């Protein structure tokens, strides 16, 4: 477990930049809710029913065509920063293996503490229904303490995923449309409970012709019940990153 003494405190309105972030003007960050009993760093999720995820456009990709490590901002519906996220992978795997590459991803709060961690092993997407080829993303919050996984299901028609808790039980399901690639419109993936009731959705938002054609920087939103356990909310956010790399990185 992360100890309190390891949790750094810096001014709320001036968080240090994430690795590789050269932005000069600080953006507003969401205040930490108090009185919540949950893993440290997930307190923000107790009062949210929607998250907005935007991927940073990498100038290196535009100039050279080489795939750079992904970086994201996660905001609430008011436009306040909740988390920042960045991928840890090497240049060779990103450009040789593409969406099948293994990677780690760190999700940071406004104090630049890593609040949860994602691990995705290499998966060969050419043989998608072999158990060893199905995509899986392990989520730890705090880092080192697994809270669950996002796992791809074998299907030839539409994208499907299950979200499992730390005991391996299926707690949520995600089902996408027959074609997850749409032009000039948003793409919705529905989130279902174990009782097959739709409780939310993950939306890949159409970001404009230029951004879609010439970059792999995408916009997403994810909605869920306010009362949903924060660990499940964190797993749904993690699912956004896996879906982005699997279907929208090009």
């Amino acid at each position: 477990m992360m100890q309190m003494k390891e949790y750094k405190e810096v001014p709320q309105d001036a968080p240090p930049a994430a690795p590789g972030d050269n932005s000069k003007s600080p953006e507003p960050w969401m205040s930490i809710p108090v009185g919540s009993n949950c893993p440290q760093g997930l307190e923000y999720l107790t009062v949210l029913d929607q998250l907005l995820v935007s991927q940073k456009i990498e100038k290196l990709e535009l100039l050279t065509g080489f795939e750079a490590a992904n970086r994201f901002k996660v905001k609430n519906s008011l436009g306040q920063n909740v988390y920042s996220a960045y991928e840890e992978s090497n240049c060779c795997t990103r450009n040789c293996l593409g969406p099948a590459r293994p990677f780690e991803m760190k999700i940071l709060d406004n104090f630049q503490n890593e609040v949860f961690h994602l691990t995705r092993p290499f998966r060969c997407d050419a043989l998608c229904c072999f158990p060893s080829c199905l995509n899986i993303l392990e989520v730890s919050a705090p880092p080192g303490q697994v809270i669950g996984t996002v796992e791809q299901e074998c299907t030839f028609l539409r994208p499907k995923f299950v979200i499992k808790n730390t005991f391996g039980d299926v707690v949520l399901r995600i089902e996408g449309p027959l074609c997850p690639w749409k032009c000039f419109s948003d793409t919705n993936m529905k989130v279902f409970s174990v009782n097959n009731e739709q409780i939310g959705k993950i939306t890949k938002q159409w970001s404009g012709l230029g951004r879609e054609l010439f970059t792999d920087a995408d916009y997403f939103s994810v909605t869920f019940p306010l009362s949903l356990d924060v660990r499940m909310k964190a797993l749904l956010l993690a699912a956004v990153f896996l879906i982005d790399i699997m279907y929208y990185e090009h």
Side-chain angles (χ1 to χ4, degrees):
M1 294 288 292
M2 184 181 294
Q3 302 297 319
M4 286 297 294
K5 65 180 181 180
E6 298 175 350
Y7 213 72
K8 300 176 291 182
E9 293 189 3
V10 298
Q12 176 109 2
D13 59 349
D21 189 350
N22 297 318
S23 59
K24 296 180 180 179
S25 59
E27 296 182 343
W29 283 76
M30 180 180 171
S31 299
I32 303 176
V34 295
S36 54
N37 182 20
C38 63
Q40 197 167 40
L42 299 189
E43 299 95 338
Y44 301 94
L45 301 179
T46 59
V47 296
L48 297 177
D49 60 4
Q50 182 183 46
L51 292 170
L52 307 175
V53 182
S54 61
Q55 186 174 358
K56 181 177 175 58
I57 296 177
E58 300 293 346
K59 294 180 180 179
L60 179 64
E61 290 185 14
L62 295 177
L63 294 173
T64 66
F66 286 102
E67 180 68 33
N70 291 323
R71 287 186 289 159
F72 301 87
K73 289 182 179 179
V74 181
K75 299 186 177 186
N76 61 21
S77 59
L78 299 176
Q80 298 171 321
N81 287 323
V82 182
Y83 300 115
S84 60
Y86 67 93
E87 175 187 352
E88 288 189 332
S89 59
N90 63 60
C91 181
C92 180
T93 58
R94 286 196 303 272
N95 290 281
C96 294
L97 299 179
R101 67 182 179 271
F103 67 83
E104 308 279 325
M105 185 170 287
K106 292 185 176 182
I107 288 80
L108 311 177
D109 66 5
N110 62 324
F111 301 128
Q112 293 299 288
N113 294 291
E114 183 182 6
V115 295
F116 56 105
H117 189 95
L118 315 182
T119 303
R120 190 268 188 117
F122 168 74
R123 285 294 186 263
C124 176
D125 51 7
L127 302 170
C128 63
C129 274
F130 280 76
S132 61
C133 293
L134 291 171
N135 285 274
I136 183 171
L137 188 69
E138 183 182 82
V139 183
S140 300
Q145 183 172 319
V146 177
I147 61 170
T149 56
V150 182
E151 301 182 17
Q152 179 189 18
E153 287 194 310
C154 176
T155 176
F156 295 102
L157 294 177
R158 60 179 74 229
K160 290 185 179 181
F161 300 85
V162 293
I163 290 180
K164 297 181 179 180
N165 61 19
T166 186
F167 303 107
D169 302 320
V170 175
V171 290
L172 297 172
R173 297 183 182 273
I174 301 171
E175 183 174 314
L178 288 174
C179 179
W181 304 277
K182 292 183 179 180
C183 292
F184 308 105
S185 65
D186 296 345
T187 301
N188 294 312
M189 295 192 177
K190 299 177 181 179
V191 179
F192 295 94
S193 68
V194 290
N195 298 322
N196 207 34
E197 175 188 1
Q198 184 179 349
I199 62 168
K201 65 180 179 179
I202 294 172
T203 301
K204 195 277 182 185
Q205 300 174 347
W206 173 255
S207 57
L209 187 61
R211 189 179 179 111
E212 295 284 348
L213 286 179
F214 300 110
T215 77
D216 62 2
D218 299 310
Y219 291 116
F220 289 87
S221 66
V222 53
T223 59
F224 36 69
L226 183 64
S227 59
L228 188 67
D229 184 273
V230 293
R231 296 166 184 82
M232 300 305 104
K233 294 180 181 181
L235 287 163
L236 282 174
L237 175 59
V240 171
F241 300 125
L242 180 61
I243 289 168
D244 177 54
I245 284 185
M246 287 181 59
Y247 297 104
Y248 303 108
E249 188 163 287
H250 44 80

